[in-house]
Amino acid sequence: MATPSQWIAGARPRTLPAAVVPVAVGTGVALGHDGAVWWRALLALFVALALQVGVNYANDYSDGVRGTDDERVGPMRLVGSGAASPREVLTAAFGCFLAAAVAGLALVVATRAWWLLPVGAVSIAAAWFYTGGSRPYGYRALGEVSVFVFFGLVAVAGTTFVQLERLPWTALVASVPVGLLACAMLVVNNLRDIVSDGPAGKRTMAVVLGDDRTRVLYTLCLVLPLVIAPAMALWEPFAALAVLAAPLAITPVKAVGRGVTGPALIATLQQTGRFQLVYGLLFTAGLALSAL
């Protein structure tokens, strides 16, 4: 039986900034329009975190039963390591999805925006079919596309909408750098696993692009947000605060650029998450200051 610490490790807490940042930025947009509703923001955060943990457990289950994790380079997996049974991990994944669905339904009822129901259903389906089902799209180089859409556009715009009950175009623009930073987390993760994913039949974007072009993609995912934020300052003057996070991008970009591979990229993943979180908080503060 897996220990509590193993379950926490299996939830992959280092990936949680991908859930926190879009909700923070969406709330920053709402604050900038004098319309933040804190209990709705907290519910949106719960939904995002539940989906993130759920997809991590679902990936653990699906990759484990397929044998993709048999030669894993990164942190331990519950099924692949034998710490927990596939059934236990699958139950945990669907428990997280159910919790996200219940919290999301509360937001739908509060806003009476019934069109959010199919959006939520598609989000949960996307979380499962990333590595689940007979034709997982994560094995077909579409993982980054999904992350950009759901942890960028949908999460930021959705968080803003459930608070303001309207969608300013600033939320859509702000979702782009957020989505790129979420993609950076997945890109560096798949770069680390490129050697084992290919032989296992897992055709991630890293496998398709190859090592060199994947490193270029990672760099773009970190650099472009630092360009977009000051560009937004043309109409959101304080959005440029996010550029203060730039020093945190230097070390991971240099590491990827000089060809670091395998376990050494675990530190780069941590650094990417740190940059993502600090950038997101600064970006949130800048967008919120628009109300002044």
Side-chain angles (χ1 to χ4, degrees):
M1 182 177 293
T3 64
S5 63
Q6 287 175 320
W7 279 106
I8 292 172
R12 303 182 69 189
R14 293 191 182 99
T15 68
L16 297 185
V20 173
V21 168
V23 175
V25 171
T27 301
V29 175
L31 279 166
H33 288 76
D34 293 319
V37 181
W38 290 108
W39 70 268
R40 295 184 184 185
L42 290 173
L43 265 184
L45 178 61
F46 180 85
V47 170
L49 287 170
L51 284 176
Q52 179 68 65
V53 174
V55 76
N56 287 341
Y57 283 146
N59 293 347
D60 190 308
Y61 165 80
S62 297
D63 286 344
V65 297
R66 284 191 175 90
T68 309
D69 287 340
D70 289 350
E71 302 295 332
R72 183 163 179 79
V73 175
M76 67 88 67
R77 290 291 186 96
L78 292 163
V79 175
S81 67
S85 70
R87 183 180 181 85
E88 289 173 326
V89 177
L90 182 63
T91 300
F94 278 101
C96 290
F97 293 153
L98 178 60
V102 171
L105 181 60
L107 287 171
V108 170
V109 173
T111 59
R112 297 187 179 276
W114 305 109
W115 57 269
L116 286 173
L117 285 174
V119 173
V122 171
S123 298
I124 292 173
W128 168 249
F129 287 109
Y130 172 58
T131 55
S134 59
R135 296 177 63 84
Y137 66 85
Y139 282 38
R140 288 169 171 76
L142 293 173
E144 283 80 0
V145 175
S146 176
V147 164
F148 182 83
V149 171
F150 291 102
F151 285 94
L153 179 61
V154 172
V156 175
T159 299
T160 301
F161 180 85
V162 297
Q163 295 180 71
L164 294 179
E165 297 191 24
R166 58 188 177 87
L167 188 59
W169 64 274
T170 301
L172 299 177
V173 178
S175 71
V176 175
V178 172
L180 287 171
L181 290 175
C183 285
M185 293 287 288
L186 182 57
V187 171
V188 73
N189 182 76
N190 289 341
L191 177 64
R192 182 196 64 209
D193 296 337
I194 195 171
V195 175
S196 59
D197 283 345
K202 187 174 182 179
R203 289 180 57 79
T204 62
M205 188 172 288
V207 171
V208 171
L209 291 178
D211 187 274
D212 290 343
R213 285 183 289 185
T214 299
R215 293 175 189 277
V216 172
L217 176 61
Y218 172 80
T219 301
L220 288 173
C221 286
L222 260 64
V223 171
L224 286 176
L226 294 171
V227 175
I228 294 170
M232 287 184 66
L234 293 172
W235 68 92
E236 296 283 351
F238 295 103
L241 281 174
V243 177
L244 295 176
L248 295 176
I250 296 173
T251 299
V253 167
K254 281 186 174 180
V256 170
R258 68 171 180 263
V260 168
T261 61
L265 284 170
I266 295 174
T268 304
L269 180 64
Q270 296 170 352
Q271 293 156 1
T272 304
R274 189 179 304 118
F275 170 64
Q276 179 187 31
L277 186 58
V278 174
Y279 177 101
L281 294 177
L282 289 168
F283 197 34
T284 297
L287 293 169
L289 288 171
S290 297
L292 297 180

